[in-house]
């Protein structure tokens, strides 16, 4: 979830329910499917997001609809595993 509240917190409980029912490690929200959307963005920002998603989807073929969004719920265990395998060179926080 972005800190500027561009993602509505009302979707957190449904994310949790989806994760509990499915047992999946990651639940992700999308702006580009039914029920998703974007508010408060100008034309240039929407266009940039759509172009970035199109390129990423065409090049990576991940089976997702929104690779540039950050509205996700991770299981703690899954996130711990990913973080423990990250090696950084340069600036980190």
């Amino acid at each position: 979830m972005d800190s500027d509240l561009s993602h509505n917190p009302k979707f957190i409980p449904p994310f949790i329910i989806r994760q509990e029912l499915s047992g999946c490690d990651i639940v992700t929200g999308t702006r580009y499917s039914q029920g998703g959307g974007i508010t408060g963005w100008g034309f240039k920002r929407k266009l940039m997001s759509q172009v970035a998603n199109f390129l990423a989807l065409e090049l990576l073929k991940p089976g997702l609809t929104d690779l540039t969004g950050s509205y996700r719920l991770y299981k703690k265990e899954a996130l711990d595993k990913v973080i423990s395998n990250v090696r950084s060179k340069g600036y980190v926080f």
Side-chain angles (χ1 to χ4, degrees):
M1 176 178 206
D2 288 348
S3 62
D4 66 355
L5 294 179
S6 61
H7 301 110
N8 194 326
K10 76 178 183 180
F11 294 110
I12 294 173
F15 273 33
I16 293 169
I17 292 168
R18 174 72 56 100
Q19 191 173 60
E20 288 173 346
L21 292 175
S22 69
C24 61
D25 291 332
I26 303 170
V27 174
T28 184
T30 179
R31 298 166 279 204
Y32 302 115
S33 67
Q34 187 175 10
I38 300 170
T39 57
W41 282 15
F43 173 76
K44 287 181 183 179
R45 187 168 178 191
K46 285 181 185 178
L47 180 63
M48 186 170 54
S49 175
Q50 290 173 342
V51 169
N53 269 293
F54 173 78
L55 291 173
L57 293 170
E58 287 300 310
L59 295 172
L60 302 174
K61 309 270 189 224
L64 301 171
T65 59
D66 191 352
L67 293 178
T68 63
S70 59
Y71 204 14
R72 299 183 192 105
L73 174 66
Y74 295 86
K75 279 189 178 174
K76 183 182 181 309
E77 297 81 11
L79 191 57
D80 286 342
K81 187 173 182 178
V82 169
I83 290 172
S84 71
N85 288 299
V86 171
R87 302 291 177 252
S88 178
K89 296 179 182 179
Y91 178 77
V92 295
F93 55 93

